[in-house]
Amino acid sequence: MFKKIILLLLVTSFLFACNNDDDLIAACDGVTNVVSNSITSNSAILTWEATNTTALYSIEYGVSGFLLGNGTSVSVSETNLDIEGLSPNTTYDVYIQTICSASNVSMYTEVYSFTTNAPLVIPEFRPTLSELNVYSGDLENLDITPYGFEYDLHSKLYTDYATKQRFFILPLGEKLTYDGEGLPIFPNNSVIVKTFYYNIDDRDTSLGQKIIETRLLIKIDGSWEAGDYKWNDNQTEATLDPNGSIVPVSWIDSEGETNAVDYEIPSNTDCFTCHQTSGSMTPIGPKMRTINFDFNGANQIQQLIDNDMLEGLTDPTGISLLPRWDDESVSLDRRARAYMDINCAHCHIQGGFCEEQSNLRLGYETPYEESSISESRFSILARIQNTIPQYGMPLIGTTVIHDEGVALLIEYIDSLE
């Protein structure tokens, strides 16, 4: 009987305690729907939803993979946080905990991750290439900024057998404007980049490369300006080099032969010699008719259209394509004219550097009868087969004869009546 009385008293005491609202502690709910927005290269804004509107929130963040307790901690009373001082092009992990009181906190959220943007490209000729942000990460990897558009030319210009990486960057929100089959119109602050390098061994590109120079054209206030960056021996940086220089380089070609050249980095004056039309600096390569083919898995012009980077054109199929000079399925005259177009015509056209010194007009679209090729054929043969300064052709940009290109032109000239 006594035991029953004790049990009854305990049950009564328990029920009384449960009916005392002051002793109940509401659960401290965690936040939900964490999102990031307004992300830049060094900042982001986090927002989340919460049921405990009077609570505090403890946020811990760090580079992806960090352990809780080792990150940066911040406490706020709002349901948002503006984080600054982040590193560009970096993924961060975030955890958020609700603090209802000193003794009542929620569990941390599951990890939430976001990635900062790459730094914006600087359309200026600064002392070092890394300052321009045209590459991401370690410079020697040649990883193009996410804002860049890599392209290639169907028929390529020869520069002492160097390999070239080409891309351009448009200002955010700007587009190219279609202007016929030649060069599109680039907006101000556009940057065209071309990096020259040699593979250590063309048979095995995993062995690395020797990067020589990076040439830039920047459109400033409606006019193009040129600058050339020379790479250091450690391949960690390139420095603006307006005066030009000579870099000895050797490599093994695809046939296993060792080659060596004294590579000439052009001066700003040299750049202007080739990159001019009627006294104005002009790009040479990225013409519509030279990029209208598949590269990186798709037609390059169609990629520009799909990426909303080109206005004034909705379909590339109506644009012609400059033939590859080394495509033997193409007729000899078309191959030779294509070679002359990409390697010679920037000087030998109306308004070019050699306009008054020569009657040659070597643009692919120039009719043969108006090109003066026939009248100049013996001069052409003599000049393309030597490297005498101020006589051999091209005047600048090469130090060794392009055997394959010269053989093509000799065959073509010999075929003329």
Side-chain angles (χ1 to χ4, degrees), residues 17-259:
C18 289
N19 286 326
N20 188 339
D21 291 339
D22 291 338
D23 294 332
L24 289 176
I25 300 177
C28 194
D29 295 328
V31 305
T32 57
N33 296 328
V34 181
V35 296
S36 54
N37 50 65
S38 301
I39 296 175
T40 70
S41 62
N42 57 14
S43 66
I45 297 177
L46 298 177
T47 62
W48 56 88
E49 296 178 3
T51 57
N52 300 284
T53 56
T54 60
L56 293 175
Y57 307 97
S58 177
I59 301 94
E60 187 171 349
Y61 65 91
V63 175
S64 184
F66 83 97
L67 298 177
L68 269 170
N70 296 317
T72 299
S73 295
V74 181
S75 293
V76 297
S77 57
E78 299 85 8
T79 55
N80 61 80
L81 175 65
D82 187 354
I83 306 177
E84 298 182 344
L86 303 176
S87 297
N89 205 28
T90 302
T91 299
Y92 286 86
D93 291 344
V94 178
Y95 300 89
I96 303 176
Q97 183 182 50
T98 307
I99 303 175
C100 295
S101 69
S103 59
N104 189 16
V105 298
S106 74
M107 300 289 289
Y108 275 105
T109 58
E110 294 292 325
V111 62
Y112 174 80
S113 300
F114 68 92
T115 302
T116 52
N117 295 336
L120 294 178
V121 171
I122 307 298
E124 301 172 7
F125 292 108
R126 295 192 174 181
T128 58
L129 185 62
S130 60
E131 295 178 77
L132 277 63
N133 299 327
V134 296
Y135 288 111
S136 297
D138 294 335
L139 211 61
E140 65 267 27
N141 294 332
L142 300 183
D143 291 330
I144 296 171
T145 170
Y147 307 113
F149 181 86
E150 186 177 14
Y151 68 95
D152 200 7
L153 307 182
H154 198 238
S155 204
K156 297 177 177 60
L157 185 146
Y158 167 73
T159 311
D160 282 357
Y161 294 102
T163 301
K164 303 166 188 176
Q165 179 199 57
R166 302 172 174 87
F167 62 99
F168 60 77
I169 306 109
L170 305 179
L172 291 181
E174 299 283 347
K175 304 177 184 180
L176 301 170
T177 300
Y178 177 69
D179 191 35
E181 296 195 345
L183 286 167
I185 299 173
F186 284 77
N188 280 327
N189 297 319
S190 295
V191 182
I192 299 177
V193 184
K194 184 163 63 171
T195 292
F196 297 68
Y197 64 91
Y198 291 85
N199 295 315
I200 302 301
D201 189 335
D202 284 338
R203 300 169 302 175
D204 184 1
T205 57
S206 68
L207 296 176
Q209 59 205 12
K210 170 72 172 178
I211 311 171
I212 309 299
E213 60 167 328
T214 294
R215 301 179 189 176
L216 272 72
L217 289 172
I218 303 178
K219 192 171 185 181
I220 302 173
D221 295 331
S223 300
W224 289 99
E225 297 184 16
D228 207 327
Y229 288 81
K230 177 182 177 181
W231 285 70
N232 62 19
D233 291 337
N234 294 330
Q235 304 283 271
T236 56
E237 185 61 276
T239 304
L240 190 61
D241 180 18
N243 299 317
S245 56
I246 296 176
V247 179
V249 59
S250 62
W251 77 100
I252 299 174
D253 63 26
S254 58
E255 303 299 322
E257 297 292 330
T258 298
N259 302 267

Side-chain angles (χ1 to χ4, degrees), residues 155 323-340 364 404 408-409 411:
S155 204
R324 279 178 47 185
W325 63 263
D326 58 349
D327 182 358
E328 295 186 358
S329 69
V330 177
S331 65
L332 175 61
D333 65 315
R334 293 180 61 209
R335 292 169 55 211
R337 292 299 303 273
Y339 186 91
M340 292 177 175
Y364 187 77
E404 297 83 357
L408 169 67
L409 295 184
E411 183 181 2

